[in-house]
Amino acid sequence: MKSAVETLNPTRVRLTVEVPFEELKPSLDAAYKKINQQVTVPGFRKGKVPARVIDQRFGRGAVLEEAVNDALPKFYTEAVNEGELNPLGQPEVDITELKDNELLAFTAEVDIRPAIEIPDYSGIEVEVDAIEVSDEEIEKSVEQLRERFASTSPVERAAAEGDVVTIDLEASVEGEVLEDGVAKGVTYTIGSGELLDGIDEALTGVEAGSTATFTSELKGGSAAGKEAEVKVEVSTVAARELPELDDEFAQMASEFDTLEELRADSRKRLQQMKKYDQATQAQEKVLDALIQLVEVPIPEKLLEDEIRTRKHNLEHHQLGQMGLDLEGYLKIQEKTAEEFDAELKEQAEKGIKTQFVLDELVNKEQLNVGQEELTEHLMRRAQSSGMSPDQFAQAVVEGGQVPMLVGEVARGKALAVVVEAATVKDTNGEVVDLDDEDETGETVEAAAEGESGAAEAAEDKSEA
């Protein structure tokens, strides 16, 4: 077999392949055997029909077609390997010549991963938020804990902000009560802002046994984005009573003996949260800076597929779970369809570039993924998916997704290498130490895994 590669553009090539006929013999033999098992010819036992009889009865062309269909994937793969190509997706194959007992020639156009040059990234500098915990933040944290231990007691007066009410809701659009617009026995704290816009004002001043109406734009359900008239009936009104902020509260709400110890623990927890957020911010900014340094051409079809996949997932999974359609979502976001499409394209481009650049870094830095690293990553993914590790592992294996998980971990390690080489300073001008893997490892991996699956999915198809 002879093959040649013609570069059509930085992300697409045309393979020209010539196969001597003798190399088709295994596929020809397989074609005769397959046809033998499928046909019945008088005078011959099933599976024992001679090749010349098959040619006479069914035509040599049928045999050649079966043989070529069987052989093409093998010869295409050999040509790809000879050309040291990284194909994306399925090729467009055209048989240019087929001479019986002489020659098979074909061309195959396919998208490929572009060649990427990774420049020196040690000069990357980014700025992140400083870790500062104010007294106000500590008091807010303690107050939130205090809210959880609040008690309620019924009152015979009009409802006021902070009261807990039990209500029945009924939403109507153009005079028609919505099937999914009725809710009974809902417990709601006035002023929390957790339900519909306008409900706090409607409930304030209403006593148990009374009703109120107001209009509000529905955020979800069958009439998302539409103005509805909402009737709310109050069953009970209860006042909330907060426990005193003292050592007794600290002992009741935590493992600490004093309120000061509780506040000190709140400060420590807030610092840890901000340190994690700081690490996440650092890796995101370093990744953005890295991508800006690298010229990455993107295959047009791959970009189209990625945009289509992201839009499908949003419409049929994320929005579907929220009871929204795309039109309602755009209205809530106050975006036009054109603005949404432009943002989606930008996100898809960044996702593909991220995957290409980090994969190239994996090769450049010769990074490998150990079994322990893969297991830890699998455990985290299982936890985020709501599945047990065993269930998630089984689903991954059955779905052939192990290479994808390996790729996620490898890209996380590649990004960690760049973050380690970069200079990260906080807004106070202090250099931030991100060497603690326990603090930054998970967030670094998460950045790589969520960006894009387009290239990996396309490669999976090309190997099928």
Side-chain angles (χ1 to χ4, degrees):
M1 185 195 81
K2 293 192 303 182
S3 66
V5 179
E6 176 187 358
T7 300
L8 303 178
N9 61 49
T11 62
R12 193 166 179 85
V13 298
R14 178 187 293 122
L15 290 164
T16 301
V17 184
E18 293 184 358
V19 182
F21 209 81
E22 57 266 23
E23 294 186 34
L24 272 178
K25 189 175 185 310
S27 294
L28 274 171
D29 292 342
Y32 278 117
K33 185 175 181 180
K34 182 176 180 180
I35 294 173
N36 237 316
Q37 299 298 324
Q38 295 174 340
V39 301
T40 301
V41 177
F44 296 94
R45 285 182 295 164
K46 193 173 185 65
K48 299 296 182 180
V49 183
R52 58 180 176 75
V53 175
I54 291 177
D55 289 345
Q56 291 169 358
R57 283 295 190 99
F58 306 102
R60 175 74 165 174
V63 180
L64 288 175
E65 181 180 356
E66 181 67 37
V68 169
N69 288 339
D70 176 74
L72 274 177
K74 170 179 174 291
F75 293 125
Y76 165 72
T77 300
E78 288 182 7
V80 165
N81 292 337
E82 284 183 8
E84 298 181 344
L85 303 174
N86 292 310
L88 298 171
Q90 295 291 350
E92 296 178 5
V93 177
D94 182 25
I95 298 174
T96 56
E97 192 172 359
L98 178 57
K99 291 183 179 179
D100 198 358
N101 292 313
E102 290 186 32
L103 179 72
L104 164 65
F106 66 92
T107 61
E109 288 191 18
V110 67
D111 287 332
I112 59 168
R113 276 182 176 254
I116 298 175
E117 286 292 329
I118 304 293
D120 179 17
Y121 48 78
S122 61
I124 290 178
E125 293 188 14
V126 298
E127 184 181 76
V128 296
D129 295 333
I131 298 177
E132 296 174 345
V133 179
S134 66
D135 292 341
E136 289 77 11
E137 288 175 307
I138 295 171
E139 290 309 312
K140 182 179 178 181
S141 175
V142 173
E143 192 63 28
Q144 288 173 342
L145 182 62
R146 188 184 179 203
E147 292 275 351
R148 288 168 52 190
F149 285 85
S151 59
T152 59
S153 56
V155 292
E156 295 183 2
R157 58 167 173 76
E161 184 171 349
D163 286 344
V164 178
V165 293
T166 304
I167 55 176
D168 295 339
L169 293 165
E170 185 180 273
S172 304
V173 174
E174 297 178 355
E176 293 288 332
V177 177
L178 301 171
E179 288 187 12
D180 56 354
V182 178
K184 295 187 178 296
V186 177
T187 299
Y188 179 67
T189 302
I190 299 176
S192 66
E194 294 175 351
L195 283 178
L196 299 167
D197 292 339
I199 193 170
D200 293 327
E201 293 81 0
L203 288 173
T204 301
V206 177
E207 297 181 359
S210 301
T211 62
T213 59
F214 63 99
T215 59
S216 183
E217 182 180 302
L218 300 179
K219 303 300 184 184
S222 60
K226 294 184 179 180
E227 285 287 330
E229 183 177 274
V230 184
K231 182 173 76 171
V232 54
E233 182 176 346
V234 180
S235 302
T236 62
V237 178
R240 299 177 76 249
E241 298 176 2
L242 297 174
E244 291 293 327
L245 274 179
D246 51 23
D247 292 346
E248 185 177 340
F249 166 71
Q251 294 164 18
M252 174 182 66
S254 71
E255 70 271 31
F256 301 105
D257 294 326
T258 68
L259 185 59
E260 285 310 306
E261 288 176 325
L262 176 60
R263 286 194 172 108
D265 182 69
S266 295
R267 180 182 294 276
K268 180 180 178 182
R269 289 176 183 274
L270 287 169
Q271 286 175 331
Q272 289 174 336
M273 288 172 58
K274 291 198 173 189
K275 187 175 182 181
Y276 182 88
D277 291 343
Q278 188 185 63
T280 302
Q281 188 181 25
Q283 62 89 24
E284 287 175 351
K285 289 195 171 186
V286 168
L287 178 60
D288 287 342
L290 175 64
I291 292 175
Q292 290 298 319
L293 289 177
V294 187
E295 184 69 31
V296 185
I298 299 178
E300 186 176 327
K301 186 177 185 304
L302 183 66
L303 179 59
E304 292 173 356
D305 290 344
E306 178 72 358
I307 292 172
R308 190 182 307 111
T309 298
R310 286 174 181 250
K311 191 170 185 178
H312 176 85
N313 288 341
L314 176 66
E315 287 189 88
H316 295 89
H317 298 292
Q318 295 163 293
L319 295 183
Q321 292 174 356
M322 298 164 59
L324 280 173
D325 58 14
L326 184 58
E327 184 180 353
Y329 170 76
L330 292 179
K331 188 172 182 180
I332 292 171
Q333 295 292 315
E334 298 182 346
K335 294 177 184 175
T336 65
E338 291 75 16
E339 290 171 336
F340 170 75
D341 289 341
E343 286 185 11
L344 198 61
K345 181 180 180 182
E346 183 179 348
Q347 292 166 2
E349 286 178 342
K350 181 183 178 184
I352 294 172
K353 286 181 179 180
T354 295
Q355 187 166 319
F356 282 174
V357 170
L358 293 181
D359 284 347
E360 184 62 30
L361 263 171
V362 169
N363 294 329
K364 180 180 179 180
E365 302 293 343
Q366 298 182 331
L367 301 175
N368 296 311
V369 176
Q371 183 61 48
E372 185 176 344
E373 294 170 315
L374 183 60
T375 300
E376 290 176 358
H377 183 64
L378 187 148
M379 298 281 282
R380 282 196 292 271
R381 287 291 301 271
Q383 186 176 20
S384 64
S385 71
M387 301 169 68
S388 71
D390 288 343
Q391 289 174 324
F392 187 79
Q394 183 177 353
V396 165
V397 173
E398 291 178 353
Q401 300 299 304
V402 174
M404 187 172 289
L405 282 187
V406 173
E408 289 174 359
V409 179
R411 283 189 286 276
K413 294 180 70 171
L415 184 53
V417 169
V418 184
V419 171
E420 185 178 354
T423 299
V424 182
K425 294 184 179 180
D426 65 20
T427 49
N428 293 329
E430 299 292 330
V431 175
V432 177
D433 181 11
L434 295 173
D435 290 338
D436 189 342
E437 293 183 5
D438 289 338
E439 293 290 342
T440 62
E442 184 174 341
T443 190
V444 166
E445 286 181 15
E449 73 187 37
E451 292 293 348
S452 169
E456 267 183 320
E459 286 182 324
D460 289 343
K461 290 180 183 176
S462 71
E463 293 170 0

